[in-house]
Amino acid sequence: ETGVTQTPRHLVMGMTNKKSLKCEQHLGHNAMYWYKQSAKKPLELMFVYNFKEQTENNSVPSRFSPECPNSSHLFLHLHTLQPEDSALYLCASSQEGSGGVDTQYFGPGTRLTVL
Amino acid sequence: GQNIDQPTEMTATEGAIVQINCTYQTSGFNGLFWYQQHAGEAPTFLSYNVLDGLEEKGRFSSFLSRSKGYSYLLLKELQMKDSASYLCAVRDGDYKLSFGAGTTVTVRA
């Protein structure tokens, strides 16, 4: 079973649309993350949730709205996006505070194109 | 801010060895990770270093020098399937990972 799943895998939307990205982790982790990956650029951390509480918001525009209803699910709600928001959006999860390595495990990503 | 540098591209021959360097300047240090990412797929965890020295895992090894802000990933006995992007990431706090832009390795027959 894949540890972290994301849907949809591909999404094309207009600038006036509203859509949501979904992430689910099956690893029993307590932290979840959204990253943006643009071509030739480092992964950019967008949001962090720990035990369902948002602990990080890296100055992300309000047209991106995260939601974490429980420790296994994470959503990214999108509205009135811009063409420069086209990128690969990656979800990750980790077990924080375990005393171990706390490795982040990634989902396959959603390839978003904004027209 | 965080600054993590790695080469953009490297090319090597099947069966050869390639070393990918990563230098970092971060506000804190709590470990360094290497990930492999094939085109269109998720980054997958390769290795973790938090103490100085070499960590070996089969054909892949990773080295860390904290005093120099330097790490490398060594790929031995290269195979065609090793063609991918390799991401260096530094953990600088409780949860945060800061990533380099990635090194695309192309393995030629």
Side-chain angles (χ1 to χ4, degrees):
Chain A
E1 183 184 15
T2 305
V4 182
T5 57
Q6 290 186 243
T7 55
R9 293 294 309 276
H10 300 272
L11 178 62
V12 179
M13 59 187 289
M15 289 192 285
T16 58
N17 292 157
K18 288 185 181 181
K19 296 286 184 184
S20 295
L21 310 185
K22 179 182 176 182
C23 175
E24 183 173 0
Q25 59 97 358
H26 310 272
L27 301 169
H29 289 165
N30 57 16
M32 297 186 76
Y33 312 77
W34 279 117
Y35 287 89
K36 176 183 179 182
Q37 187 175 35
S38 303
K40 306 297 183 186
K41 288 187 177 180
L43 266 73
E44 301 171 46
L45 179 64
M46 300 174 72
F47 301 105
V48 180
Y49 276 82
N50 187 260
F51 289 107
K52 302 186 299 178
E53 298 297 321
Q54 188 180 128
T55 57
E56 190 96 17
N57 176 340
N58 271 4
S59 303
V60 179
S62 59
R63 57 186 184 268
F64 295 91
S65 174
E67 178 190 359
C68 188
N70 55 61
S71 58
S72 299
H73 294 85
L74 186 64
F75 295 89
L76 188 62
H77 303 299
L78 317 171
H79 65 98
T80 58
L81 294 191
Q82 304 298 311
E84 59 265 29
D85 296 322
S86 298
L88 182 68
Y89 288 85
L90 291 163
C91 173
S93 71
S94 68
Q95 182 62 27
E96 296 297 320
S98 64
V101 175
D102 299 344
T103 302
Q104 291 184 21
Y105 293 89
F106 286 83
T110 296
R111 173 67 62 185
L112 174 67
T113 303
V114 182
L115 301 176
Chain B
Q2 319 296 43
N3 192 22
I4 299 170
D5 290 318
Q6 50 182 130
T8 305
E9 295 179 337
M10 301 183 76
T11 301
T13 306
E14 199 173 12
I17 298 173
V18 70
Q19 177 174 314
I20 306 170
N21 296 324
C22 172
T23 58
Y24 63 89
Q25 291 176 302
T26 55
S27 55
F29 183 83
N30 196 17
L32 186 144
F33 294 79
W34 284 96
Y35 284 84
Q36 180 191 60
Q37 186 178 23
H38 285 100
E41 297 182 14
T44 55
F45 169 71
L46 285 180
S47 69
Y48 171 74
N49 295 72
V50 67
L51 300 176
D52 290 353
L54 188 68
E55 294 284 338
E56 296 189 79
K57 259 188 177 181
R59 294 188 299 114
F60 294 178
S61 304
S62 57
F63 172 83
L64 175 67
S65 169
R66 289 172 296 171
S67 62
K68 295 182 179 177
Y70 168 70
S71 173
Y72 68 72
L73 179 70
L74 194 69
L75 286 62
K76 295 180 278 191
E77 301 170 17
L78 277 174
Q79 302 176 8
M80 300 299 287
K81 66 179 182 179
D82 298 329
S83 292
S85 182
Y86 292 85
L87 311 178
C88 173
V90 173
R91 187 185 182 103
D92 56 14
D94 285 342
Y95 316 113
K96 289 186 63 176
L97 282 183
S98 296
F99 282 83
T103 300
T104 300
V105 171
T106 301
V107 181
R108 299 194 188 280

